[in-house]
């Protein structure tokens, strides 16, 4: 019998078939007579898919999580295509013509994650990958910032023996292994840490310890030259990533800064040790002042670090956030101990209120430079910004912006603070140091209500105004400190 099934139906449902002719001569039905038969198509049982490799490595583009046994002709899958690092769940169910072999059509959830292609630091840390940039025979320590992503577009930055060498920097000296691991997004159970490139036994083996850090290991300082390996899975024999650490100032590679580092840098500056003979991470650690060459200034900075007058963090190169952008400065007081801190937030047209204070202004910034830069930042016409000196006189183009100067913008008065410029002339010199010392000993009284003077005087921003702040100004005057590092 030749049967036509309602236009040759193939989907699940109830249908009727009718005969147009009967080939069997035992049936006495004329060709013009139709025979109707009701029938049903039920879902076809199929095998369930199983989880595939649930850890995909981010490569900067769209990634697809693939299940074992998945068939697009039989099943529907959603949420398995993602483009960012994170945890996800792929959802799978049979299509309308099929069901699982257990008779259900329940949606199945398959968790998976897209992991970073390498060791990644938390955003809250200062850590950043660094590289050596050579220009006109001078060498500089540069941070990736927003320009590069580790293992995505950085393979040509540091080449050693024909291979990329990835170096994580902006690490404070004296950082122990526990603190270092806590500042990483990468899970410690996939990490191994070696004290040097030549070591074959890790000082920390997260795979063996399931990420648990023993006290004696956790208290050990990380140092320049430490090697960190990241494994994709606990069963892998080859690392997914291999990273070296560079601790600024730690040139002798012991995790601290002491006179041995000063002596080492002095020998480099004198030419007794060639910078190029050191490992790349040592070279970057020696570039403290980062002015193109390793000189006695780098050693002087480390002497100030040892004496507690400055910090290496002030010399970290960080292009992730624009330190040169002007910001709104304000004061916060710790409710527990009453300490005063300088806080800042983004300066935009919407955040400029009457009597607010603009900071991140470097000493010896000329009025026309400040005005142009501020107008660009506010996306405003510079003609709408009027700059006045503290005495009310209009600032000329070549006048320095000083603490106490103010602008009129959108009918609002906004004051300006130049860090360290306590005398208001736009220059930081010994007169400012004298003024700051008088504040410290109490000859000049200021409190949190005098926001402008407080914000200008709290150089290191450690909660109190003390001799370390005035010593920092002296180091700036001597050419050993960049005040913009304290913004």
């Amino acid at each position: 019998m030749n049967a036509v099934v309602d236009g040759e139906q193939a989907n699940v449902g109830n249908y009727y078939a009718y005969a147009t002719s009967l080939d069997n001569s035992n049936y006495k039905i004329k060709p013009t007579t139709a025979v109707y038969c009701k029938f049903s198509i039920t879902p076809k049982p199929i095998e369930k898919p199983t989880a595939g490799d649930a850890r995909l490595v981010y490569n900067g583009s769209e990634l697809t999580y693939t299940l074992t046994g998945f068939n697009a002709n039989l099943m529907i899958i959603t949420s398995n295509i993602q483009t960012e690092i994170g945890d996800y769940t792929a959802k799978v169910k049979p299509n309308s013509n099929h069901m699982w072999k257990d008779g259900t059509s329940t949606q199945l959830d398959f968790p998976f994650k897209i992991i970073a292609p390498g060791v990644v630091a938390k955003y809250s840390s200062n850590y950043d990958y660094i590289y050596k940039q050579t220009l006109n025979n001078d060498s500089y320590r540069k941070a990736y910032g927003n320009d590069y992503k580790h293992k995505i577009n950085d393979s040509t930055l540091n080449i050693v023996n024909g291979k990329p060498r990835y170096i994580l920097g902006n690490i404070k000296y004296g950082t122990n292994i526990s603190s270092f691991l806590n500042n990483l997004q990468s899970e410690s159970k996939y990490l191994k840490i070696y004290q040097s490139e030549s070591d074959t036994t890790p000082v920390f083996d997260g795979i063996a310890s399931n990420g648990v850090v023993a006290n004696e290991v956790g208290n050990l300082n990380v140092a320049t030259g430490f090697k960190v390996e990241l494994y994709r899975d606990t069963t892998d024999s080859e690392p997914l990533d291999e990273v070296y650490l560079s601790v600024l100032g730690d040139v002798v590679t012991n995790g601290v800064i002491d006179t041995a580092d000063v002596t080492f840098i002095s020998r480099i500056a004198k030419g007794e040790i060639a910078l190029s003979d050191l490992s790349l991470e040592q070279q970057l650690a020696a570039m403290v002042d980062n002015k193109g060459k390793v000189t006695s200034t780098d050693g002087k900075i480390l002497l100030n670090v040892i004496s507690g007058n400055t910090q290496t963090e002030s010399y970290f190169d960080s292009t992730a956030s624009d330190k040169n952008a002007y910001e709104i400065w304000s004061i916060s007081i710790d409710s527990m101990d009453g300490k005063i801190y300088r806080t800042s937030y983004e300066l935009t047209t919407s955040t400029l209120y009457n009597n607010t204070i603009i900071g991140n202004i470097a000493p010896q910034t000329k009025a026309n430079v400040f005005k142009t830069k501020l107008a660009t930042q506010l996306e405003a016409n510079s003609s709408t910004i009027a700059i006045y000196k503290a005495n009310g006189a209009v600032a000329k183009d070549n006048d320095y912006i000083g603490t106490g100067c103010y602008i009129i913008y959108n009918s609002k008065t906004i004051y300006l603070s130049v860090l360290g410029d306590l005398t208001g002339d736009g220059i930081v010199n010994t007169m400012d140091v004298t003024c700051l010392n008088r504040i410290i000993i109490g000859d000049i009284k200021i409190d949190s209500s005098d926001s402008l003077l407080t914000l200008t005087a709290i150089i290191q921003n450690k909660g109190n105004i003390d001799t370390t702040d005035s010593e920092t100004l002296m180091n700036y005057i001597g050419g050993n400190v960049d005040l913009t590092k304290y913004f």
Side-chain angles (χ1 to χ4, degrees):
M1 178 172 66
N2 298 323
V4 178
V5 184
D6 253 4
E8 298 183 355
Q9 295 293 338
N11 295 321
V12 170
N14 297 316
Y15 302 97
Y16 288 91
Y18 61 93
T20 57
S21 65
L22 295 174
D23 298 327
N24 193 328
S25 59
N26 293 326
Y27 293 96
K28 306 300 183 182
I29 300 176
K30 296 178 180 179
T32 56
T33 304
V35 179
Y36 290 90
C37 301
K38 183 178 181 181
F39 69 98
S40 298
I41 296 178
T42 59
K44 180 181 179 180
I46 57 174
E47 293 285 352
K48 294 179 180 179
T50 56
D53 187 348
R55 288 169 61 84
L56 308 181
V57 179
Y58 178 71
N59 61 6
S61 60
E62 187 176 85
L63 291 171
T64 301
Y65 175 47
T66 304
L67 300 173
T68 302
F70 175 78
N71 187 326
N73 295 320
L74 311 177
M75 311 167 195
I76 298 170
I77 188 169
T78 57
S79 302
N80 68 317
I81 301 175
Q82 301 293 341
T83 57
E84 300 293 338
I85 293 169
D87 294 298
Y88 304 98
T89 300
K91 304 177 186 300
V92 184
K93 62 182 179 180
N95 63 24
S96 58
N97 291 328
H98 299 86
M99 63 182 176
W100 305 128
K101 276 199 171 179
D102 61 8
T104 69
S105 57
T106 306
Q107 174 181 282
L108 305 178
D109 291 343
F110 292 90
F112 71 99
K113 62 171 52 185
I114 297 177
I115 64 173
V119 178
V120 178
K122 292 179 179 177
Y123 294 113
S124 57
S125 76
N126 281 319
Y127 303 169
D128 196 1
Y129 283 92
I130 57 177
Y131 63 99
K132 186 173 82 169
Q133 183 184 67
T134 301
L135 298 170
N136 300 322
N137 296 320
D138 288 340
S139 296
Y140 300 88
R141 169 175 43 85
K142 300 289 290 183
Y144 283 17
N146 296 322
D147 296 327
Y148 298 98
K149 289 185 178 180
H150 179 47
K151 296 295 288 285
I152 300 299
N153 62 348
D154 65 340
S155 62
T156 61
L157 295 181
N158 292 323
I159 302 297
V160 177
N161 296 326
K163 298 191 305 183
R165 193 174 185 89
Y166 303 113
I167 300 175
L168 187 61
N170 284 14
I171 303 169
K172 181 177 171 19
Y173 68 94
T175 298
N176 62 31
I177 285 179
S178 290
S179 177
F180 173 73
L181 290 171
N182 286 334
N183 276 298
L184 298 181
Q185 292 185 44
S186 308
E187 296 179 68
S188 57
K189 67 180 179 181
Y190 298 111
L191 294 169
K192 292 182 182 180
I193 299 177
Y194 299 81
Q195 289 182 280
S196 73
E197 183 175 12
S198 60
D199 282 1
T200 56
T201 302
V203 67
F204 169 73
D205 188 336
I207 294 175
S209 69
N210 195 31
V212 177
V213 188
N215 287 336
E216 62 273 17
V217 173
N219 291 328
L220 178 70
N221 286 346
V222 298
T224 296
F226 268 36
K227 180 175 72 172
V228 181
E229 290 180 342
L230 171 69
Y231 288 79
R232 182 178 173 281
D233 194 85
T234 54
T235 60
D236 286 348
S237 58
E238 293 295 324
L240 174 68
D241 190 22
E242 185 176 278
V243 169
Y244 295 86
L245 306 186
S246 182
V247 178
L248 188 61
D250 175 32
V251 191
V252 299
T253 70
N254 60 0
V256 297
I257 291 179
D258 53 27
T259 53
D261 296 291
V262 178
T263 301
F264 202 113
I265 283 181
S266 176
R267 295 186 65 193
I268 295 171
K270 292 176 181 177
E272 296 174 4
I273 298 175
L275 188 67
S276 58
D277 288 344
L278 305 181
S279 69
L280 188 53
E281 48 271 24
Q282 276 183 294
Q283 294 179 44
L284 293 166
M287 299 174 187
V288 184
D289 198 34
N290 206 21
K291 294 296 176 62
K293 295 187 182 341
V294 175
T295 68
S296 60
T297 298
D298 298 286
K300 291 176 182 178
I301 293 171
L302 292 191
L303 284 173
N304 280 308
V305 170
I306 295 168
S307 62
N309 295 330
T310 190
Q311 303 175 77
T312 54
E313 299 100 298
S314 301
Y315 295 88
F316 289 168
D317 180 53
S318 179
T319 55
S321 59
D322 186 3
K323 287 283 189 179
N324 293 316
Y326 299 133
E327 292 185 330
I328 300 293
W329 277 2
S330 60
I331 286 176
S332 65
I333 302 176
D334 192 299
S335 60
M336 297 295 292
D337 56 19
K339 289 186 176 181
I340 300 172
Y341 296 91
R342 180 178 69 249
T343 58
S344 60
Y345 55 93
E346 186 180 6
L347 188 160
T348 65
T349 300
S350 61
T351 59
L352 271 182
Y353 299 102
N354 199 43
N355 294 323
T356 52
I357 297 172
I358 294 178
N360 284 20
I361 305 171
Q364 295 180 255
T365 296
K366 291 184 178 181
N368 61 337
V369 173
F370 171 80
K371 188 181 206 178
T372 301
K373 183 176 171 183
L374 181 63
T376 300
Q377 188 170 336
L378 294 175
E379 297 182 350
N381 190 318
S382 61
S383 64
T384 63
I385 302 171
I387 305 178
Y388 299 88
K389 296 183 178 182
N391 61 8
V394 176
K396 298 178 181 177
D397 283 350
N398 288 323
D399 288 342
Y400 288 141
I401 295 293
T403 297
C405 287
Y406 60 94
I407 66 170
I408 304 294
Y409 177 69
N410 281 353
S411 302
K412 301 180 181 71
T413 300
I414 296 102
Y415 293 91
L416 311 179
S417 174
V418 177
L419 191 63
D421 173 33
L422 299 170
T423 58
D425 58 4
I427 302 171
V428 174
N429 54 29
T430 54
M431 294 178 63
D432 298 289
V433 177
T434 300
C435 183
L436 186 51
N437 284 331
R438 291 186 64 194
I439 292 172
I440 293 167
I441 64 177
D443 284 352
I444 298 176
K445 302 289 185 182
I446 63 171
D447 55 38
S448 58
S449 63
D450 192 349
S451 298
L452 187 60
L453 192 57
T454 302
L455 290 168
T456 305
I458 192 164
I459 312 298
Q460 292 209 11
N461 204 22
K462 294 300 180 62
N464 293 312
I465 300 172
D466 57 29
T467 54
T468 62
D469 295 300
S470 60
E471 288 167 354
T472 300
L473 290 191
M474 284 300 295
N475 283 317
Y476 164 76
I477 295 167
N480 297 325
V481 164
D482 180 359
L483 282 182
T484 64
K485 301 288 186 180
Y486 293 92
F487 287 171

